[in-house]
Amino acid sequence: MDCCGQDLTPAVALFRSLAEPARLAIVRRLAHGEARVVDLTRSLGLAQSTVSKHLACLRDCGLIDYRTEGRQSFYSLTRPELMDLLRSAELLLSETGDAVALCPVYGEPAAQPLDVVP
């Protein structure tokens, strides 16, 4: 997609990668420090297969990576500035009130507000 001479495809892909609640929750958790799959399943209440699938997606997007220690993999954010983006989104959401949440195309009235780590 092109707009005003700029390719918007990378930005669209970034926001799509964060549009899934489980992936966003994983990113938020990793903002506190690295974690193993078992840590993420416990803290987020998600199935191991779900966490693994979303970790693979975030890794493919270059937003997270992992290091191995023995038989364990420890996941972490590759780009800490991602949290700046999420904080900016929180600010924007607080300024627009319920407009985004109630948007007939993208909103869900029952959606919980995003609680981003400061």
Side-chain angles (χ1 to χ4, degrees):
M1 172 180 246
D2 187 357
C3 178
C4 307
Q6 289 186 312
D7 180 12
L8 299 178
T9 305
V12 169
L14 171 65
F15 286 109
R16 265 196 203 130
S17 73
L18 299 172
E20 161 60 46
R23 286 193 294 270
L24 193 53
I26 289 168
V27 167
R28 287 177 47 214
R29 167 54 186 83
L30 293 178
H32 292 287
E34 63 182 16
R36 302 167 300 162
V37 171
V38 67
D39 301 324
L40 294 167
T41 59
R42 285 183 190 146
S43 67
L44 302 175
L46 299 171
Q48 183 273 328
S49 59
T50 300
V51 170
S52 293
K53 176 181 76 169
H54 291 303
L55 285 170
C57 174
L58 291 167
R59 211 175 71 226
D60 290 344
C61 293
L63 299 176
I64 67 167
D65 205 353
Y66 69 97
R67 65 175 181 85
T68 56
E69 190 174 298
R71 294 178 5 143
Q72 299 182 34
S73 296
F74 293 84
Y75 291 86
S76 61
L77 295 178
T78 57
R79 308 303 312 188
E81 59 270 24
L82 177 57
M83 297 317 296
D84 295 334
L85 174 68
L86 295 179
R87 280 187 210 96
S88 294
E90 257 312 290
L91 178 61
L92 178 62
L93 289 170
S94 71
E95 295 297 321
T96 61
D98 291 334
V100 174
L102 298 176
C103 171
V105 176
Y106 296 108
E108 295 182 36
Q112 296 296 316
L114 177 65
D115 184 19
V116 175
V117 178

